Amino acid sequence: MPTPTLNILVTGGAGFIGSNFIRYMLAKRPTYNLINYDKLTYAGNLENLRNVENKPRYKFVKGDICDADKLRETFRAAPNQCGYQLCGRIARGSQHYGCSRLC
């Protein structure tokens, strides 16, 4: 029986940690599709993923995690999915607050 495809949604995938995670998973998990959901603020840079942008198992979606409708739509577009939340806002004193406090 073939291994089922797993769709992984990575928020913050254009940042340092997220882009390394995406490249690693594409290299090590041939049955995984990676969906990079990133707002592309000061910390996100698609140059970090230039070497995977044309791979059929990689997709980029520009979006804000505070946009619940778009995030829900992105999740529903790829069944059999799990998510990794790797985005974050780095500012003194703000890293301990939830998303709604930062949006």
Side-chain angles (χ1 to χ4, degrees):
M1 175 182 277
T3 304
T5 298
L6 180 63
N7 296 305
I8 299 179
L9 178 72
V10 181
T11 61
F16 177 77
I17 295 170
S19 61
N20 280 288
F21 176 78
I22 287 171
R23 285 194 305 274
Y24 175 84
M25 294 302 273
L26 286 171
K28 298 294 183 180
R29 302 288 186 221
T31 62
Y32 290 11
N33 295 319
L34 282 289
I35 302 142
N36 176 7
Y37 188 92
D38 200 297
K39 187 176 177 181
L40 296 179
T41 61
Y42 65 93
N45 185 347
L46 289 178
E47 283 295 318
N48 294 337
L49 293 157
R50 193 63 59 209
N51 63 331
V52 300
E53 68 183 355
N54 295 317
K55 292 193 180 289
R57 297 186 301 114
Y58 170 77
K59 178 181 177 183
F60 172 73
V61 176
K62 185 172 183 183
D64 187 333
I65 62 167
C66 294
D67 183 345
D69 291 334
K70 183 163 185 158
L71 189 56
R72 190 176 302 110
E73 174 187 318
T74 304
F75 251 105
R76 289 181 178 159
N80 192 25
Q81 185 174 118
C82 71
Y84 284 86
Q85 197 288 92
L86 299 175
C87 63
R89 183 170 175 181
I90 306 301
R92 189 173 7 176
S94 70
Q95 63 268 28
H96 300 293
Y97 298 114
C99 173
S100 61
R101 175 80 186 253
L102 296 175
C103 296

